[in-house]
Amino acid sequence: MTRIGTALFNCQGGCLLPEGSYDFRRLQQAAADVDTAPALWLINEAKLWRADANVGLHGAAEALSDALGVPYVGVLGASPRGPIPPAIIYDPTVLVLRAWWNPDDPYSYADKLNVARFAVRDTAPDGDSRAEFLAWVDHWHPDSGTIRRQEAARLARYGRETRLPVIGGGDLNANASGPHLPQRDWTIASHQRRSAEGRRLPDGAWVTDTDAVDHLIGSWEGDSRTGGCGYRAIAELAWRAGSEGGLLPTVNNNVDSGGAIIKDWLVANPAMVPHVDPRSYHVHIPSGDPADWPSDHRLVTAAFDLAQTFKSQAEPR
C-alpha cells in the first residue's frame, strides 16, 4: 500500500515579483503547514514559469524540495488566458510520470492537456505491473459561467468513462449546489462578483451559478447529489465522514465580497473514490498577519492509497 499525499494550491501570481524575479518563500510558507510531504502538487497561477527556460517552474520545485526534503520535479500545463498555466510538481521517488501532453505539441487534444498519467513506483518491481492513475489540474475562467461549463465538459470523460483512478484539482472559480456548502450573500456582493459567479433571475434576484462544478459532481437534490459525470468532491467525502473542516472555504476571508466559498476543489472519479482517505482532507487556514499570508487561496491537501494494480493502457479518444 502506497499513500499518495496530494496538495492543491493557487500560488497567487506565481510568486512573481514586480521586477520579474520570483520569491518562493510564500510557497514554502504554505508547504510548512503540511505534516507529511505530498508526493503530488497541483498548482495554479504558475505565472510566467515557462519564461527563460522554465526558471520559474524549476525554482518552485527547488523551493518545495528545500522546504520538505523531497527531490521534486515539475511540468507546466496550458492556459488559454495567457502565460499563467497550471503546473504539476511531483516526487519522482514515489511517482513515475508516464504521459503529459505539451501544450505546443501539434498532436495534442484539448481534453488531454493538463492531464498526467502516473505510475506508483512501489506498487510493483517492474513497469508492466505498477499501479497507475491519472491526475488533472485546471484553472477555470474567473468571469464567465458559460466558459466554466465548457471547461467542465472537457474533463467529463475522466469521470465515469475512465477505468483508471483519477484525481483532479483546481481553482474552479465556482461553487457547487447545496445548502450545506458555504454561500455568498448576494445582497452585499459586488456587481463584478455577481456577474462572475452568479445568475440573475427574472425577478431580479441573484443566485449562485453552480452549473460547471455540478456537471462534474452532480446537482444537490434532497440530501445527496444526482447526475453529473461521476466525480465526487473530496470535501464532501470528508464531510460525510464527520470531518469538522470538510466544508471550509478555500479562499481567505474578505478576498471576495459576499463571503468566502469553496473555489479550490479536489475531486475523485468512481475508480479513485475507494482509495481516498476522506479524513485526510484538510483546508489549511493561514495564521498571523493577512499581509503575510502565502496566497489569497488556502492550501488544500488530501491523500489516497493505491495497492491494486491497474494495468497500463492508452487513454482512448
Side-chain angles (χ1 to χ4, degrees):
M1 186 77 70
T2 300
R3 170 153 288 211
I4 311 298
T6 303
L8 170 63
F9 188 55
N10 183 309
C11 184
Q12 186 177 3
C15 294
L16 184 67
L17 297 175
E19 85 280 359
S21 63
Y22 298 91
D23 182 358
F24 289 116
R25 287 176 293 182
R26 292 201 168 207
L27 181 58
Q28 292 176 321
Q29 180 185 353
D33 199 45
V34 301
D35 295 325
T36 304
L40 180 65
W41 285 81
L42 308 176
I43 302 286
N44 286 127
E45 294 202 19
K47 187 175 182 179
L48 294 178
W49 285 12
R50 198 183 308 278
D52 298 325
N54 297 320
V55 293
L57 172 67
H58 300 313
E62 183 178 3
L64 287 174
S65 296
D66 290 344
L68 298 174
V70 171
Y72 288 114
V73 294
V75 288
L76 279 172
S79 170
R81 297 192 305 278
I84 191 167
I88 288 181
I89 293 176
Y90 65 98
D91 180 354
T93 69
V94 177
L95 302 177
V96 181
L97 181 62
R98 288 187 165 173
W100 177 261
W101 289 91
N102 294 318
D104 56 353
D105 190 327
Y107 299 104
S108 66
Y109 295 92
D111 59 355
K112 292 188 178 183
L113 294 174
N114 304 333
V115 182
R117 182 162 61 96
F118 284 107
V120 184
R121 192 176 295 278
D122 289 345
T123 54
D126 62 272
D128 291 337
S129 302
R130 289 189 177 116
E132 287 190 321
F133 69 95
L134 302 180
W136 59 254
V137 58
D138 216 357
H139 191 176
W140 289 0
H141 202 288
D143 299 323
S144 172
T146 300
I147 297 176
R148 288 194 295 271
R149 176 59 179 79
Q150 294 169 348
E151 291 170 321
R154 179 169 48 82
L155 296 165
R157 62 177 298 209
Y158 300 105
R160 291 191 183 92
E161 296 180 10
T162 302
R163 187 183 62 85
L164 289 174
V166 179
I167 187 165
D171 175 1
L172 304 189
N173 272 309
N175 209 346
S177 58
H180 59 301
L181 298 175
Q183 301 293 323
R184 287 205 188 286
D185 182 351
W186 293 112
T187 64
I188 64 174
S190 67
H191 178 75
Q192 179 183 0
R193 190 52 49 201
R194 289 174 178 175
S195 62
E197 298 177 17
R199 289 187 294 110
R200 190 174 185 177
L201 300 179
D203 63 2
W206 286 85
V207 296
T208 304
D209 183 352
T210 64
D211 287 353
V213 180
D214 284 357
H215 183 65
L216 297 184
I217 66 175
S219 59
W220 189 264
E221 296 184 15
D223 62 354
S224 62
R225 296 202 177 274
T226 61
C229 299
Y231 291 100
R232 299 285 300 277
I234 297 179
E236 290 185 336
L237 295 177
W239 172 63
R240 294 285 192 189
S243 172
E244 294 183 0
L247 300 182
L248 284 172
T250 65
V251 293
N252 294 320
N253 295 333
N254 301 321
V255 169
D256 294 320
S257 63
I261 62 171
I262 299 176
K263 283 189 173 183
D264 305 86
W265 294 89
L266 283 172
V267 299
N269 77 335
M272 177 63 86
V273 167
H275 305 283
V276 173
D277 177 2
R279 294 188 177 274
S280 69
Y281 181 83
H282 187 190
V283 178
H284 299 256
I285 301 176
S287 60
D289 186 344
D292 296 328
W293 288 347
S295 177
D296 52 354
H297 289 245
R298 296 168 175 173
L299 173 70
V300 180
T301 55
F304 58 93
D305 301 287
L306 283 185
Q308 180 182 352
T309 296
F310 298 87
K311 186 177 180 181
S312 174
Q313 67 172 16
E315 283 297 304
R317 267 300 306 155

